[in-house]
């Protein structure tokens, strides 16, 4: 559902049961992903090109995905806190799509790979340092709940 706050602002509302189910689903996805050994891919500032290190990581991830053919993946694009929300949502999407495309190039069925962008909304690290920003500029791989 949604609620109109004013003429130009609409707020999404989640029913309590739906919110509980989604929270439980996210917890299951996180647990399944951590047990899989899948690794995130990191990006440079204002970049969405997969680096050589990222390609090595994705090669290992692709091997796991091919060996576990029944698993579907959500590739989340994340950014550091700098830049506008709109800019970071687009950049996050470009990062997630770059990861998806590289995995598909390695032979993973693209139908198993969904893309989501969170921009700067879900930081891994909250410090205001370059080391922290680097951890937030990532393509995060999450196994979909079955």
């Amino acid at each position: 559902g949604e609620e109109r706050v004013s003429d130009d602002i609409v707020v999404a509302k989640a029913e309590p049961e739906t919110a509980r189910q989604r929270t439980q689903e996210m917890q299951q996805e996180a647990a399944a992903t951590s047990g899989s050994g899948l690794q995130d891919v990191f990006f440079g500032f204002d970049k969405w090109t997969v680096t050589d290190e990222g390609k090595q990581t994705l090669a290992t991830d692709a091997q796991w995905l091919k060996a576990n053919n029944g698993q579907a993946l959500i590739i989340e694009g994340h950014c550091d806190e700098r830049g506008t929300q709109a800019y970071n949502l687009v950049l996050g999407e470009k990062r997630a799509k770059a990861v998806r495309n590289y995995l598909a190039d390695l032979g993973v069925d693209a139908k198993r790979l969904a893309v989501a962008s969170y921009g700067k909304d879900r930081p891994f690290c909250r410090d205001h340092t370059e080391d922290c920003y680097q951890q937030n500029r990532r393509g995060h791989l999450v196994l979909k709940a079955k």
Side-chain angles (χ1 to χ4, degrees):
E2 59 184 43
E3 177 181 332
R4 183 165 296 282
V5 177
S6 68
D7 289 341
D8 56 349
I9 298 176
V10 177
V11 177
K13 293 184 348 182
E15 297 299 323
E17 184 60 29
T18 303
R20 266 192 297 281
Q21 288 173 343
R22 182 60 191 136
T23 299
Q24 184 178 19
E25 190 176 281
M26 289 171 60
Q27 291 169 339
Q28 291 170 343
E29 290 170 346
T33 302
S34 67
S36 71
L38 292 171
Q39 297 294 311
D40 289 350
V41 177
F42 298 93
F43 295 88
F45 177 72
D46 201 29
K47 304 277 189 233
W48 61 89
T49 303
V50 178
T51 64
D52 289 340
E53 184 178 338
K55 290 176 182 179
Q56 291 174 347
T57 299
L58 290 175
T60 303
D61 291 342
Q63 289 175 345
W64 188 91
L65 288 163
K66 289 178 191 177
N68 294 275
N69 201 28
Q71 294 288 337
L73 196 66
I74 302 167
I75 304 164
E76 299 177 351
H78 295 271
C79 302
D80 64 37
E81 67 184 29
R82 297 172 289 183
T84 66
Q85 179 66 4
Y87 178 82
N88 281 318
L89 284 171
V90 172
L91 181 57
E93 181 180 7
K94 288 179 178 182
R95 289 174 174 167
K97 286 180 176 179
V99 170
R100 179 197 59 198
N101 294 344
Y102 195 79
L103 287 170
D105 289 347
L106 294 173
V108 178
D109 183 358
K111 293 177 187 168
R112 296 170 53 200
L113 307 173
V115 169
S117 177
Y118 292 103
K120 59 184 179 178
D121 284 344
R122 293 187 181 181
F124 176 77
C125 179
R126 295 189 182 274
D127 295 336
H128 305 287
T129 65
E130 183 55 39
D131 288 340
C132 185
Y133 294 153
Q134 176 58 54
Q135 293 176 54
N136 291 332
R137 297 189 302 255
R138 70 197 190 284
H140 180 61
L141 283 62
V142 179
L143 292 174
K144 282 188 181 180
K146 290 186 176 186

